[in-house]
Amino acid sequence: MTLPDRSTLSRREYARALVAVGGATALSACLDASSDGDENDDGSDVPPGTDDPDSLPARQHAWNEFAPRDDDGNVSPPAHHVLLPLALTERATADGEPTADARDITESTLRTLERAYEWSTDGLLFTLGYTPAYFERFDADLPETVDLPEPEALTSREDPAFDEFDALLHLASDRPEVVLEVEEGLFGEQEEPERNGVVLESDLADVFERVDENRRTGFVGEGLPAEHTDVSNVPDAVPEDAPFFMGFRSGFDRTQASEGRVTIDSGPFTDGTTQHVSSMDIQLEVWFEQENHYQRVSKMFSPEHAAAELVGEVGEELGTDSGLSDERIEATAADARQEGVVGHAQKAARGREDGEPRLLRRDFNTIDGDRPGLHFVSLQHEVEDFVRVREAMTGADLDVPSANNGILHYIFVNRRGNYLLPPRELRALPVANPDA
Ligand code: HEM
C-alpha cells in the first residue's frame, strides 16, 4: 500500500486520497493531518453517539433529517463514502444459514458505532444491506412485499459483473477520518481503537470477511471533484465549484423521491427499502474536451435548458428542482427528432410515477482504480422502480444519435448489485421471511 504524497496535496485532497487507500497507516496519517488544521476539521471533536441506540429511527436509510441543507434547501449529502462488501465466514454459519451468535455480534457491533458517533453527517451514517445471494441461504423465500431480483445487465451496451457477496456496509460522513477509523476499528489490527470513550473493536471479523477487491470509495460536494485533476483522465476543465465530476449540481429536493416514498410499507420488512448500486467509469476528457458548455447543458438537462440559459455554470441558477416542466419532459421524443439531442434529466424524469420521482439517489464520485467514475447508489420501493427509470434514461425509443442521447455515450457500467436494506430492527443477518 502506498500512501499519497502529503507535500503535493491540500489537506482535503490528502484526506480523500487516504480514504481511497484505506487501512491503519492511512487512518493514522488522516488523524495526524486532521489534527494539524483548523478547529472544524479537528479529528478530536467528532460528536459522540447516543446512550440509547433504540431511540434512533426505525429506517436505516433515515439520513435526510440528519444532514444539513444547502442555501436552496436541498439535502447536502455526506462528503465521504466507503462501500464495504462483506462475505459471511464459515464459522458464522450452520448449514449455510447465519447463526444466532453471528446475529448478536453484528447487532452489538452496529450499536457500538451508534454509541461512538452521532447519527449525522458530522458523525456517521451507515446502512447494512443484503444481496439476493444472501437470501438464497434460506429455505423460505423473501415475502412478496419485497422486490429483490438478482442484478442483471440493464442495457445492450454493458456487460457488468454482479455483487454476489452477502452484504454491503455503506459508511458515510463529512469527516474522512470517521469512515476510515470505523473500517479499521471493525476489521483492522489496531489495539483497542477508541472514539468518544467507546472502544470500536468488535468480533465482526468472525462473522464477515471483507471482499477487498470490491471495496469502493468516493466523495461528493462543491469543489471536491476539481481537486482531482492530478488523476489521469480528470481534465483541468472540471469546474471549480462543481459537486460532481460531470460539472453540475444534482439531487435537488423535487427530483428526488422522499424517504417515505422509497420505504417498504407492509410485511415483515416494513421500514426497509431496496438499494441498487452500480459502478461506472466516466469518459470525462471526451465530455469536457469535445463538448462546449451549451452542448453539455443540452445533454445533461435538455436543449431548452441550454437555449434559455436556465442552469448557470454548474447549476447555481436552479433552486430545489431541475427546471423541468411537465411539457419539457413530455417533449423528450420531439426534442430527439427536432433538436437531435435530448437531456439526461429530461429523459430520466419520464420514469416518474404520477409525477413523482421514484428514486432517492445517493450517488458519489470516485477515483477508485485511478480513473474518474461514479458509484450510483439509489434507494427505491422496489428494484423494479429502478429498472423502469433506467429504461427511461436509456431511451431506446428515442430517435437520436447515440452521442447526443443524454450522457449515455460517456458512462460505462462495470458492476451492478441489488440489496435489501432491512428496517433497523432486522438489520443483523435477517432470515428471508421473518413471518414464516
Ligand atoms: C455519471 C453519471 C450521472 C450523472 C453525472 C448524473 C447527473 C444528473 C443530473 C445533473 C441530474 C439533474 C439534476 C437533478 O434532477 O437532480 C440528474 C437527474 C436524474 N438522474 Fe442522473 N446522473 C448520472 C447517472 C444516472 C443514473 C445511472 C441514473 C439511473 C437511472 C440516473 C437517474 C437520474 C434521475 C432519476 C434523475 C431525476 C429525474 C427526475 O427529475 O425525475 N442518473 N442526473
Side-chain angles (χ1 to χ4, degrees), residues 244-256 276 278 280-282 287 300-301 314 318 321-324 329 344-352 355-361 363 365 373-374 376 378 385-394 407 410-411 413 416:
F244 286 95
F245 269 138
M246 291 184 86
F248 298 106
R249 290 167 79 195
S250 178
F252 296 101
D253 233 38
R254 284 163 50 203
T255 62
Q256 291 275 51
H276 178 82
S278 37
M280 60 203 78
D281 292 338
I282 310 176
W287 174 249
M300 188 60 84
F301 292 90
V314 300
L318 302 165
D321 66 51
S322 56
L324 279 172
I329 299 167
H344 163 71
Q346 115 186 94
K347 250 190 323 172
R350 298 181 309 156
R352 293 181 185 179
E356 298 287 325
R358 298 179 200 230
L359 309 187
L360 174 49
R361 292 165 285 140
D363 46 322
N365 308 286
L374 185 86
F376 191 84
S378 151
D385 289 313
F386 179 81
V387 174
R388 292 278 184 81
V389 177
R390 190 61 178 82
E391 264 169 26
M393 169 179 162
T394 300
I407 56 174
Y410 308 91
I411 59 178
V413 177
R416 290 192 182 278

Side-chain angles (χ1 to χ4, degrees), residues 216-259:
R216 282 163 266 181
T217 69
F219 51 91
V220 57
E222 203 175 295
L224 290 177
E227 288 183 357
H228 295 99
T229 47
D230 57 320
V231 172
S232 59
N233 305 318
V234 179
D236 290 338
V238 174
E240 275 303 304
D241 296 333
F244 286 95
F245 269 138
M246 291 184 86
F248 298 106
R249 290 167 79 195
S250 178
F252 296 101
D253 233 38
R254 284 163 50 203
T255 62
Q256 291 275 51
S258 65
E259 285 176 352

Side-chain angles (χ1 to χ4, degrees), residues 107-123:
E107 180 59 26
S108 76
T109 303
L110 299 178
R111 283 171 179 253
T112 301
L113 297 181
E114 291 163 343
R115 289 197 175 89
Y117 302 94
E118 183 179 85
W119 183 257
S120 74
T121 50
D122 203 24

Side-chain angles (χ1 to χ4, degrees), residues 29-197:
C30 192
L31 288 171
D32 283 353
S34 60
S35 61
D36 70 5
D38 56 66
E39 215 179 301
N40 285 344
D41 271 350
D42 186 336
S44 64
D45 68 353
V46 177
T50 173
D51 292 336
D52 177 17
D54 286 328
S55 64
L56 293 170
R59 301 171 182 172
Q60 293 197 72
H61 56 290
W63 289 16
N64 289 358
E65 254 183 85
F66 305 92
R69 302 255 165 179
D70 67 18
D71 292 346
D72 292 316
N74 303 299
V75 169
S76 292
H80 299 279
H81 297 256
V82 173
L83 297 175
L84 204 59
L86 303 170
L88 277 173
T89 60
E90 228 164 86
R91 56 189 182 280
T93 60
D95 294 331
E97 295 188 11
T99 61
D101 270 1
R103 204 162 276 137
D104 288 348
I105 292 171
T106 305
E107 180 59 26
S108 76
T109 303
L110 299 178
R111 283 171 179 253
T112 301
L113 297 181
E114 291 163 343
R115 289 197 175 89
Y117 302 94
E118 183 179 85
W119 183 257
S120 74
T121 50
D122 203 24
L124 173 71
L125 295 170
F126 64 87
T127 58
L128 181 57
Y130 298 87
T131 58
Y134 166 82
F135 289 109
E136 281 294 305
R137 294 173 172 278
F138 302 91
D139 293 335
D141 292 332
L142 281 164
E144 279 178 6
T145 46
V146 173
D147 173 48
L148 187 74
E150 302 278 344
E152 57 181 355
L154 294 179
T155 71
S156 57
R157 300 173 69 242
E158 66 184 48
D159 183 17
F162 300 118
D163 292 352
E164 284 167 340
F165 36 80
D166 289 292
L168 188 74
L169 183 61
H170 181 177
L171 303 170
S173 172
D174 280 344
R175 299 164 181 267
E177 72 273 17
V178 166
V179 289
L180 270 177
E181 122 186 320
V182 169
E183 192 182 351
E184 256 326 276
L186 300 185
F187 286 100
E189 309 282 303
Q190 262 187 314
E191 291 276 315
E192 307 232 324
E194 195 190 301
R195 171 59 74 185
N196 292 325

